[in-house]
Each structure stands twice: as C-alpha cells, then as structure tokens.
Amino acid sequence: MLKRVPPVDMFDLQPKFYEEMNINQRTFCLPHLGGCTDYWFIESLDNEKNDKLRFTYSLEINGVETSDEVKFLREDFPFERRGSVILAHGYGGDKSIWMFQAMYLRFMGFNVIVPDLQGHGGSSIDQPSFGYHDAEFISALLDSLPERELPQPLIAAGVSMGGVTASRLAIMRDDVDASILFAPMAKFDDSTLSVIKMMMPRFSKLLPEDSVREAVADALVAAEVPEGGADTLTYIPQLDVPTLIYVSDVDPVAPFEVYQQLAESRPHIQVQPVLGRQHVEILKLDEEMHESLFQWLQTIE
C-alpha cells in the first residue's frame, strides 16, 4: 500500500487526441510538498467543436458486459460559463478515469482541473497519501492558477478515496462553494476489506480481517496520515457547503445507509442513490445520473 500504484491505462490516448479535445496537459511542482504531479486543464469552450457531446460506455464486471450511449446537443443546453470543478480520483486510478465526466462538465460550461494524486499516474511522489496530503497539494495547485482559469463557483469532486481529498478541500478553502462525492469510502480500513472481498473473494477468506486492519493502520502511520484522516466520514459532518453524494445500494465500500443517515439532519447534503451498481461502476454517466447532476449543478452559485 505504500508503493506507487501501477497505472490504470484505461485509455490509449495519443497526443493528437489531446489537441483535438483542447485538453491542456500540465505539470505542477511544489518542492516543499515533495515533488510534482501532472494534471489536465480543460477549459469550457463555446465553439463549433463543442456543439455536441457523445460517448459510449462498455463495462465488463464479473463476466457480465454492459454498454450505454449518451448524447448531448448544444441546442438543448445553450452555452453558459458556470464555474470550475476539481476532480480527485480514487486509489488505484489516475486522472484518466474522469475522462467522460470531464468532457461532460466542460460541455456544461465548467473549467475542469484533473490531477494525478500522490503515488499514482504522473505524480513524482511514489508513496500514496490515501487522499489526505493530496488536499494540500491540490490546494496549492489551485492557488497557482490565474483567476481567469478558475471562475467561480468552485466545486470539489472526488470518487472513492478521492472523496477524502475533495471533502478536505471543501473544508480547507473558503472559495470552494460545493462538493460532489461519488461512492466515497466511509472508513478506510472497512473499505479496504470490502475491496479485497469484492476483487479477490477466495483469497479474502484466507486473510484474517485483523491482519488487514493492522496493515492499513501501519500504512497510514507511515504516510503520516492522522487517525481518521483517510475516512470520508471524518469530514462530511464538517462540510457546510451544498454536497451531492452518489452511492449505490449494493456497494459496501460506500454504504448507502450510512450516508442517508448523515444527510437526514443536514439539509445541505443530498444523497442520490444509483441502484445496482458495483463500486467501479459509480462514475458511469447515464441519462439518469445526468438529470440529477445537471439539476443540482444549476443550483450552485
């Protein structure tokens, strides 16, 4: 857990693709925080290349393949500059997992910033910080951007482990106006156990739970993450900005009941169920997710 996470390689993207899609590939360095990281800066554009958006999903999970196509036309969504979104990926991912969501948000009028977290992708820091120290690094990255590249409102979004980063950013920074959390891992040790059981069901039966929890605790200490620092549940009660949380009814990494209970006494938190999705499916942007997400985005000022 303390070593660099192998790249995802979800997409074989060539330089010409970035040029055609107006994706700026950049590197941000901050020596006193340990190194550099690559990130995408994607500016919302009102031109003929941005008059429609269409993509097709194809996922295979446990031998079952699903596919879906989503299409948006500019005539249905008149161009309007709406603000900025920072996207934080989860453990084992990198910035490329956000490709579809980044293109969608750009189409809907947002500038999008998508960094690689520590120990992942284009980060020069080999040791993951499990979303915790990434918040300071990304905050410094945001501070380095000119005002014209970071229009308000600013939304911090994260998936799984990235929920820790997004939540911390929303607490740390006065200019974060809202947050979106996709299947945020509730407690890091519980989530780790759930992922092992999901990805390696036979092996997990031979692995004592106490050993896993001990290994997680040791990894967090080595990464200088304080107790509870890698648990999204530490931060959500502290959030005072509008927050949209997508969770599935069948995902043990982000238990629906836990977040539903949190939202009951916090009217600024909206829990949006996505039924029947496994943890790795949570970012699938279908028509139903678009409707709830776009409606919520329009309320953020």
Side-chain angles (χ1 to χ4, degrees), residues 115-278:
D116 284 318
L117 302 190
Q118 295 180 19
H120 297 74
S123 171
S124 68
I125 303 171
D126 287 330
Q127 179 173 295
S129 76
F130 309 106
Y132 182 79
H133 296 298
D134 298 287
E136 284 89 355
F137 204 102
I138 293 175
S139 184
L141 188 164
L142 294 175
D143 287 339
S144 74
L145 297 176
E147 187 175 336
R148 62 180 174 79
E149 291 188 349
L150 200 66
Q152 297 296 116
L154 174 59
I155 300 172
V159 61
S160 193
M161 182 190 75
V164 170
T165 306
S167 299
R168 291 201 71 219
L169 278 171
I171 295 168
M172 291 166 52
R173 297 182 63 96
D174 293 335
D175 60 348
V176 174
D177 301 285
S179 63
I180 310 172
L181 308 177
F182 296 87
M185 58 184 191
K187 297 189 66 178
F188 189 61
D189 56 351
D190 290 341
S191 298
T192 301
L193 280 166
S194 296
V195 169
I196 291 174
K197 290 176 181 178
M198 179 172 53
M199 304 299 292
M200 298 176 287
R202 293 183 179 178
F203 175 72
S204 66
K205 295 177 181 179
L206 305 175
L207 196 62
E209 287 194 6
D210 289 346
S211 298
V212 175
R213 295 187 188 277
E214 183 178 348
V216 168
D218 290 345
L220 293 176
V221 169
E224 298 182 355
V225 176
E227 185 176 355
D231 302 341
T232 310
L233 288 182
T234 298
Y235 306 108
I236 290 181
Q238 302 178 49
L239 291 173
D240 59 2
V241 297
T243 299
L244 177 62
I245 305 178
Y246 283 97
V247 284
S248 169
D249 59 330
V250 296
D251 180 10
V253 176
F256 174 79
E257 298 79 8
V258 170
Y259 292 105
Q260 186 179 43
Q261 184 176 4
L262 273 174
E264 286 178 355
S265 59
R266 297 171 175 86
H268 61 288
I269 295 179
Q270 175 182 332
V271 174
Q272 185 67 39
V274 280
L275 303 180
R277 291 195 190 182
Q278 301 298 322

Side-chain angles (χ1 to χ4, degrees), residues 47-64:
N47 59 26
E48 66 279 359
K49 289 185 178 180
N50 203 26
D51 65 348
K52 62 183 176 181
L53 177 66
R54 174 181 172 182
F55 47 78
T56 301
Y57 281 100
S58 182
L59 294 172
E60 183 176 337
I61 300 175
N62 296 329
V64 179

